Amino acid sequence: MAPAPSSTYSAVTLNINGEKHTLTVDHRTTLLDALRERLDLTGTKKGCDQGQCGACTVLLDKRRAVACLQLAVAAEGREITTIEGIAEGEELHPVQQAFLDLDGFQCGYCTPGQICSAVAVIEEHAAGWPSAVTGDLSPDAGPPPLTADEVRERMSGNLCRCGAYVSIVQAVERAAGIHAEAVRADESTQDGKREGAAA
């Protein structure tokens, strides 16, 4: 006699935007469907449902991921950030503010994925990760300048059917500049504290 088939459902606890959500899902449920259909986090959009458009981009452990190709059960134990968790309370993230200031959207459907991707792009660039258009790949080169070509290449997984690419690139460049200034200010503060402690 053949053994009874194992259940195709599991209880998972997902850490989303700093809050834990426990739900029972079919093993085939994508993270996108769990977010939208089960948790009512509809900021993450369903576009192609094939991992090609980037509309469903979220951050998994601060790295970009298309939620339509990520199984919900495989996201357990990971830090998930959706567009709903990008802002700090009422204060918009610099990427969100730049998209608003520079009209980095038209219909807005792809914007949540664009913003999540841009947040990760800025961190990846600051960490020195190269892209396909980075000229100097030597280890001591440091981060390449975040030119429009770099931004376009790094954001190429996110499509905008309205064609707002010019404004999107400008918004990412502006937010990256704000991020760089904040890092420099933080480093200056840390240096001051170290000098004070050494005195």
Side-chain angles (χ1 to χ4, degrees):
M1 184 168 127
S6 62
S7 171
T8 60
Y9 288 82
S10 291
V12 294
T13 300
L14 302 176
N15 181 7
I16 305 167
N17 303 325
E19 293 182 19
K20 294 195 180 207
H21 302 267
T22 301
L23 59 157
T24 301
V25 295
D26 184 302
H27 295 162
R28 299 164 294 180
T29 302
T30 64
L31 178 58
L32 175 60
D33 286 338
L35 291 170
R36 290 183 58 81
E37 308 301 329
R38 301 292 304 281
L39 298 172
D40 208 26
L41 291 168
T42 56
T44 305
K45 302 303 184 201
K46 183 176 276 200
C48 66
D49 217 16
Q50 297 177 3
Q52 296 178 3
C53 73
C56 66
T57 303
V58 297
L59 303 178
L60 285 180
D61 297 329
K62 300 184 179 178
R63 294 189 62 182
R64 296 180 275 175
V66 284
C68 69
L69 297 183
Q70 174 76 38
L71 294 175
V73 293
E76 187 168 30
R78 301 181 73 183
E79 180 185 337
I80 303 162
T81 306
T82 68
I83 190 64
E84 291 90 348
I86 294 291
E88 291 287 336
E90 295 297 313
E91 184 178 344
L92 294 178
H93 187 282
V95 172
Q96 292 172 305
Q97 191 63 57
F99 267 70
L100 280 173
D101 293 344
L102 297 168
D103 294 326
F105 55 89
Q106 286 184 35
C107 80
Y109 195 80
C110 72
T111 305
Q114 298 273 3
I115 289 173
C116 286
S117 191
V119 168
V121 159
I122 292 168
E123 293 293 337
E124 292 164 9
H125 173 261
W129 294 13
S131 79
V133 298
T134 302
D136 188 353
L137 297 177
S138 61
D140 57 344
L146 196 57
T147 62
D149 284 343
E150 281 281 349
V151 173
R152 280 192 288 270
E153 172 60 30
R154 292 169 188 264
M155 292 290 293
S156 63
N158 291 82
L159 304 180
C160 174
R161 289 171 176 86
C162 299
Y165 295 114
V166 171
S167 298
I168 290 168
V169 169
Q170 291 171 349
V172 175
E173 288 177 308
R174 177 182 286 184
I178 292 168
H179 180 268
E181 287 174 18
V183 168
R184 281 192 296 272
D186 186 52
E187 288 172 351
S188 178
T189 301
Q190 294 301 324
D191 289 344
K193 286 181 182 177
R194 280 193 289 272
E195 288 173 8

